[in-house]
């Protein structure tokens, strides 16, 4: 019999929310403003029932709610509870300021109810689907009239104090899209998290300005997404204009928002043949992805010298394997020298293997494994997982030590300093020092197995808890040298989040030999990460090749 499911008590979500509030107060008491502290005191002044109902809304999507749909066993007198929330500013009557607000309100009502509203003014729409009904509503009513007509069907409330709530979430999760479901996943046993000392959590943010900047960036990105939904060029230009200055030393989360902002906007300009604007947008920050797109746009504009300058900057300090290969190949192309691109050369030099054409029941890697097993090899489609798992198990203490890692809350999966380019060099040096202690392969292997037993099934984004992980690692230790294992692990340690992709698809072995294969079907191409890892492994004596597949 399996383990019985864990049942949570009725107000488990209330306990978790109170933990979030206390955690934020403890870490950031020195620079919380009246905007946040006012929310905390107002919330705590509510009755337990009102607190629970507000949290129930906060854990759902949207900001408009129909009270009749929110019925919970633990909240007994809902009518009085709604009144208390309204009196204290935690809910209000819905405000419809633009079409987006109207759409959010319309989503609460069924197709039948929308038809009823239209029928009340003589508009028949018996066969219309939801999308058509929404268009008819906008054509038939002004926004205030639409609001009033919908509220005549049933009461709707708007959740209040949303900006304060978003700031509290931002302080706790460290990013604007955190949600409380992570607590539930942990509490019902669907995921095990590393255990931390509450007293050793470190603040993610160093100042209120840093949090405020992140909050503003998120709001600007929301405005951009709305503008793009309606493809309004003026609104898009305004959203881009709001991003007037992007500092270089952004926090990892702020950088991820800026990256989305720049890439989304730049690609929209490219698609609409507005290449000058695309170039200006991509040049706003030195993110690897934006530098590559900037080069391509400059070439498209005929500005090859400017493109060369950007490529030379990338070649001098590439931040990723992709950048390294892109800069190398593009500089060759722009020089006019007749030279085969790296990816093309590697593919041409690769050996071929003939296999049956996949019929959908097996993927190409599984077909190749069948063929290699017939030749006497054991093997698995390990791809990134075996190397990432080795990395995560070897360096587990280094990754999650609260003395060294930036861990700021108990649900954190990745230490923040590993997401921040400013800390990667010092972290690499610590990884390098840690690995130097192991003088034999047996020592390293014992370390990995002890960690596997102690940390089994705990969430670690580098470790894939595959049923055959131990067997795959045993084969890896048997066939590779200590130095090879160390060098590959250390290369991943230079940028643990970026460098854990592009590793070979297949690992095959027998009692005497082994091989890593990057499998490429007739229509597949090599990525920059794959080329890098193939070259790197070969330089360190690892048996690795691309395997070009030919269908028989």
């Amino acid at each position: 019999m399996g383990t019985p499911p864990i049942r949570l008590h009725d107000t488990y979500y209330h306990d978790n929310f109170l933990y979030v509030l206390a955690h934020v107060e403890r870490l950031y008491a020195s620079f919380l403003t009246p905007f946040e502290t006012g929310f905390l005191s107002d919330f705590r002044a509510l009755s337990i029932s009102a607190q629970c109902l507000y949290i129930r809304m906060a854990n759902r999507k949207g900001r408009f709610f129909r009270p009749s749909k929110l019925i919970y066993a633990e909240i007994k007198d809902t009518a009085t509870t709604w009144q208390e929330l309204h009196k204290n500013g935690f809910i209000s009557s819905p405000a419809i300021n633009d079409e987006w607000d109207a759409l959010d309100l319309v989503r609460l009502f069924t197709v039948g109810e929308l038809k009823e509203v239209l029928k009340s003014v003589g508009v028949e729409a018996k066969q219309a689907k939801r999308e058509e009904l929404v268009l008819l509503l906008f054509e038939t009513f002004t926004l205030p009239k639409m609001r009033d007509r919908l509220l005549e069907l049933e009461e709707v409330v708007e959740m209040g104090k949303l900006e304060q709530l978003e700031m509290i979430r931002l302080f706790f999760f460290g990013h604007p899209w955190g949600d409380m479901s992570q607590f539930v996943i942990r509490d019902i046993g669907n995921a095990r998290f590393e255990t931390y000392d509450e007293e050793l959590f470190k603040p993610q943010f160093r100042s209120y300005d840093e949090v405020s900047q992140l909050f503003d960036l998120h709001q600007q990105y929301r405005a951009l997404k709305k503008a793009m939904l309606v493809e309004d060029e003026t609104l898009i230009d305004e959203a881009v204009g709001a991003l007037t200055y992007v500092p270089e030393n952004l926090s990892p989360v702020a950088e991820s928002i800026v990256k989305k902002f720049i890439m989304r906007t730049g690609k929209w300009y490219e698609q609409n043949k507005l290449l000058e604007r695309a170039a200006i947008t991509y040049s706003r920050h030195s993110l690897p992805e934006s530098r590559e797109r900037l080069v391509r746009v400059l070439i498209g504009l005929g500005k090859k010298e400017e493109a060369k300058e950007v490529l030379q900057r990338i070649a001098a300090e590439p931040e990723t394997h992709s950048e390294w290969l892109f800069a190398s190949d593009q500089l060759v192309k722009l020089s006019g020298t007749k030279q085969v691109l790296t990816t093309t050369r590697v593919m041409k030099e690769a050996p071929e293997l003939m296999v049956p054409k996949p019929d959908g029941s097996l993927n190409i890697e599984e077909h190749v494994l069948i063929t290699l097993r017939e030749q006497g090899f054991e093997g698995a489609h390990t791809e990134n997982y075996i190397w990432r798992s080795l990395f995560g198990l070897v360096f587990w203490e280094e990754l999650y030590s609260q003395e060294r890692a930036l861990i700021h809350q108990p649900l954190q999966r990745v230490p923040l300093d590993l997401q921040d380019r400013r800390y990667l060099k010092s972290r690499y040096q610590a990884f390098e020092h840690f690995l130097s202690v192991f003088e034999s392969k047996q020592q390293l292997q014992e370390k990995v197995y002890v960690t596997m037993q102690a940390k089994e099934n705990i969430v670690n984004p580098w470790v894939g808890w595959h049923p055959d992980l131990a067997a795959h690692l045993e084969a890896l230790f048997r066939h590779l040298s200590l130095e090879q294992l160390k060098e590959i692990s250390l290369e991943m340690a230079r940028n643990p989040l970026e460098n854990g992709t592009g590793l070979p698809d297949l690992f095959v072995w027998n009692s005497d030999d082994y091989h890593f294969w990057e499998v490429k079907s007739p229509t597949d191409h090599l990525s920059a990460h794959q080329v890098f890892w193939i070259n790197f492994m070969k330089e360190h004596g690892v048996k690795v090749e691309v395997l070009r597949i030919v269908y028989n």
Side-chain angles (χ1 to χ4, degrees), residues 400-451:
Y400 292 104
S401 164
Q402 285 182 273
E403 293 179 5
R404 291 178 288 281
L406 182 46
I407 307 288
H408 68 100
Q409 49 101 338
L411 305 178
Q412 197 170 331
R413 295 167 185 252
V414 178
L416 278 168
D417 49 313
L418 293 181
Q419 304 172 50
D420 193 330
R421 292 179 291 175
R422 295 170 295 185
Y423 295 102
L424 288 179
K425 186 174 181 180
S426 61
R427 284 289 252 154
Y428 174 79
Q429 291 168 347
F431 288 134
E432 189 176 34
H433 176 73
F434 177 82
L435 203 55
S436 67
V437 173
F438 298 94
E439 297 179 347
S440 72
K441 194 161 57 170
Q442 183 181 355
Q443 283 182 317
L444 188 63
Q445 190 170 4
E446 286 175 359
K447 166 66 178 170
V448 166
Y449 288 161
V450 167
T451 304

Side-chain angles (χ1 to χ4, degrees), residues 100-317:
W100 302 104
D101 291 341
L103 280 172
D104 287 341
L105 181 61
V106 168
R107 288 191 188 104
L108 297 180
F109 294 89
T110 66
V111 166
E113 288 169 330
L114 298 182
K115 287 179 179 178
E116 184 182 333
V117 170
L118 289 165
K119 188 176 179 180
S120 69
V121 292
V123 178
E124 290 289 344
K126 290 182 180 179
Q127 304 302 318
K129 295 181 179 179
R130 173 171 283 275
E131 293 79 6
E132 297 168 303
L133 291 170
V134 172
L135 288 173
L136 281 172
L137 284 168
F138 277 94
E139 291 170 3
T140 306
F141 299 106
T142 62
L143 295 185
K145 198 67 176 176
M146 187 193 304
R147 172 193 178 279
D148 293 342
R149 288 284 186 174
L150 290 170
L151 295 190
E152 285 172 9
L153 289 177
E154 188 174 330
E155 181 188 11
V156 174
V157 299
E158 179 175 357
M159 191 174 170
K161 302 185 185 290
L162 274 175
E163 287 198 353
Q164 292 99 315
L165 179 63
E166 284 192 21
M167 284 295 281
I168 295 295
R169 281 175 172 160
L170 185 54
F171 273 109
F172 181 80
F173 289 103
H175 51 77
W177 43 87
D179 73 90
M180 300 293 288
S181 65
Q182 293 300 305
F183 281 100
V184 183
I185 291 170
R186 179 199 66 183
D187 295 343
I188 64 175
N190 279 6
R192 290 179 61 206
F193 289 86
E194 184 62 272
T195 302
Y196 298 114
D197 183 339
E198 291 277 334
E199 298 302 317
L200 296 179
F201 285 127
K202 301 170 186 173
Q204 173 179 348
F205 303 109
R206 292 161 293 185
S207 69
Y208 191 84
D209 286 344
E210 190 177 341
V211 189
S212 182
Q213 178 197 62
L214 182 54
F215 186 82
D216 290 344
L217 279 171
H218 186 54
Q219 297 298 96
Q220 290 169 21
Y221 185 58
R222 278 180 175 170
L224 175 70
K225 288 199 292 186
K226 286 182 177 181
M228 287 192 161
L229 278 173
V230 294
E231 297 199 343
D232 187 315
E233 188 178 325
T234 303
L235 288 177
I236 291 170
D237 287 342
E238 287 176 2
V240 174
L243 201 72
T244 51
Y245 170 65
V246 183
E248 285 293 320
N249 290 323
L250 289 170
S251 70
V253 182
E255 186 171 281
S256 72
I257 296 175
V258 170
K259 172 182 167 182
K260 290 178 185 177
F261 197 109
I262 288 175
M263 297 306 294
R264 193 165 186 163
T265 312
K267 285 178 180 177
W268 189 88
Y269 284 140
E270 284 190 73
Q271 289 162 4
N272 289 274
K273 312 300 181 188
L274 302 168
L275 297 186
E276 291 286 356
R277 284 193 232 177
I280 292 169
T281 302
Y282 289 134
S283 64
R284 285 180 175 239
H285 202 270
S286 60
L287 299 164
E289 295 84 350
S290 62
R291 293 202 293 188
E292 178 177 332
R293 292 311 311 168
L294 175 59
V295 168
R296 295 189 187 280
V297 169
L298 290 172
I299 291 171
L301 289 167
K303 299 181 178 181
K304 292 186 178 181
E305 290 306 312
E306 289 184 40
K308 279 184 184 178
E309 289 176 13
V310 178
L311 286 167
Q312 285 161 357
R313 290 200 298 272
I314 295 173
E317 292 186 78

Side-chain angles (χ1 to χ4, degrees), residues 489-541:
S489 297
L490 283 173
E491 183 58 31
M492 288 183 66
R494 292 185 188 279
N495 190 334
L497 294 178
E498 181 71 31
N499 291 0
T501 61
L503 289 137
D505 293 316
L506 304 183
F507 174 36
V508 298
W509 65 90
N510 58 26
S511 58
D512 304 315
D513 201 6
Y514 77 95
H515 217 98
F516 290 95
W517 295 105
E518 179 60 46
V519 177
K520 290 299 169 189
S521 70
T523 57
D524 206 355
H525 301 281
L526 280 170
S527 72
H529 283 294
Q530 290 166 346
V531 172
F532 174 85
W533 277 117
I534 289 165
N535 289 340
F536 184 87
M537 287 178 154
K538 283 184 174 181
E539 286 171 9
H540 291 88

Side-chain angles (χ1 to χ4, degrees), residues 82-108:
W82 285 115
Q83 290 171 7
E84 181 184 353
L85 288 174
H86 192 279
K87 178 182 176 182
N88 290 282
F90 284 86
I91 61 169
S92 62
S93 185
I96 306 298
N97 300 311
D98 55 31
E99 289 82 358
W100 302 104
D101 291 341
L103 280 172
D104 287 341
L105 181 61
V106 168
R107 288 191 188 104
L108 297 180

